[in-house]
Amino acid sequence: MPKTTSFIVALVLALATVTPALANQSSYHGPVVLESAHPDLAQGLLTLRGHFGLRSLTVWMGDDRLDIVKHKTGELVVLLPNHIAPGTYDVIVARSRRANQYDSMSVAIVQSGNGGGGGGNGTPGLRGPAGPQGPAGPQGAAGAQGPAGPAGPAGAAGSPGAQGGPGPAGPQGPAGVSGYVTTLSNLTTLTVANFGLVTLTSDCPAGTRVFSAFIFLEVSGSRRPIPLPLTGYPSGSGQWTFVVQNPNNFVFTTDIRHGAVCAAAN
């Protein structure tokens, strides 16, 4: 077999072997699980092992966000903060804040001694299982009453009620009038001097009372209002008086008729 053919066959076999492995690593979509932590103060590194997948993660030690220098589905290597002091720190590996998308554990940072003969830090053991759930706490105090809600919509109109009975009879009304009569004067010439006043009266028949009156000028049989200021008032039980004023500097003359509206009182 030629060398070129052999190389291609070998490359195909290698890709066929590597591709499933890579697919298995990147196909993990389960929760973030942090199983162990191994600090290396000499290198300034912290190695975390567990189940992480290959999606983007953030790693926190207390309030410090740690830079990730290696990311595998089962292992993370991060840089420790400079000059980190000995103590116990909470380490959090997070994909997001949702449930099962982060995990945490406490990690002890211990400075190794400078004296000879001392052994190095031991490998931290695996985290133990979660303890049982504690008892329920006492019920909290009742909260303050909330504000009143908005008014609800108006209800539907009710059905009409039954018709009520007839009311009591009202009191007797005052006496009315009868014998309606209208009087009308003959055609009369009205002359009012300049800036003068003229008084006219319209009388009702005997036994009747005046209720109103009227006056108009008549030109060729056509009735028109008088173009002068005038007023009128009842000057007796059966009489109406008109007062006509001429505010002009000339004599006013025209033909008029006037009358009264009368009725017998009951």
Side-chain angles (χ1 to χ4, degrees):
M1 179 182 298
K3 291 183 178 181
T4 303
T5 305
S6 300
F7 174 76
I8 294 174
V9 171
L11 179 60
V12 170
L13 291 176
L15 291 175
T17 303
V18 172
T19 301
L22 293 176
N24 290 334
Q25 288 184 352
S26 62
S27 62
Y28 179 76
H29 297 291
V32 173
V33 179
L34 179 57
E35 294 180 343
S36 63
H38 308 275
D40 185 347
L41 298 183
Q43 299 293 327
L45 301 176
L46 177 64
T47 301
L48 306 174
R49 294 189 176 90
H51 302 283
F52 310 117
L54 294 179
R55 295 169 59 186
S56 177
L57 296 170
T58 55
V59 180
W60 297 83
M61 176 176 276
D63 295 331
D64 295 322
R65 180 173 176 174
L66 306 183
D67 293 330
I68 300 174
V69 298
K70 181 187 293 185
H71 183 177
K72 295 183 179 180
T73 186
E75 181 180 86
L76 296 173
V77 179
V78 297
L79 293 176
L80 289 171
N82 293 329
H83 309 295
I84 185 171
T88 301
Y89 297 87
D90 288 332
V91 175
I92 301 173
V93 178
R95 186 178 299 141
S96 73
R97 293 181 179 271
R98 296 187 303 172
N100 297 332
Q101 297 299 301
Y102 69 93
D103 201 0
S104 64
M105 70 183 316
S106 296
V107 178
I109 302 296
V110 181
Q111 291 283 1
S112 58
N114 294 329
N121 292 333
T123 302
L126 298 178
R127 183 171 55 174
Q133 182 174 350
Q139 182 172 348
Q145 181 173 347
S159 56
Q163 182 172 349
Q172 179 73 31
V177 296
S178 62
Y180 178 86
V181 176
T182 300
T183 65
L184 181 63
S185 70
N186 295 325
L187 187 63
T188 303
T189 299
L190 173 66
T191 300
V192 185
N194 52 324
F195 307 116
L197 294 174
V198 172
T199 300
L200 303 172
T201 59
S202 292
D203 296 318
C204 291
T208 62
R209 294 179 179 271
V210 66
F211 285 88
S212 65
F214 54 89
I215 186 171
F216 55 86
L217 63 84
E218 187 169 311
V219 179
S220 301
S222 176
R223 296 178 178 183
R224 298 179 185 176
I226 295 178
L228 292 178
L230 63 88
T231 185
Y233 55 91
S235 52
S237 61
Q239 186 182 73
W240 192 276
T241 296
F242 296 98
V243 178
V244 182
Q245 179 184 8
N246 180 8
N248 305 305
N249 191 18
F250 57 83
V251 177
F252 178 84
T253 301
T254 187
D255 292 332
I256 65 166
R257 291 181 187 272
H258 59 89
V261 178
C262 312
N266 295 328

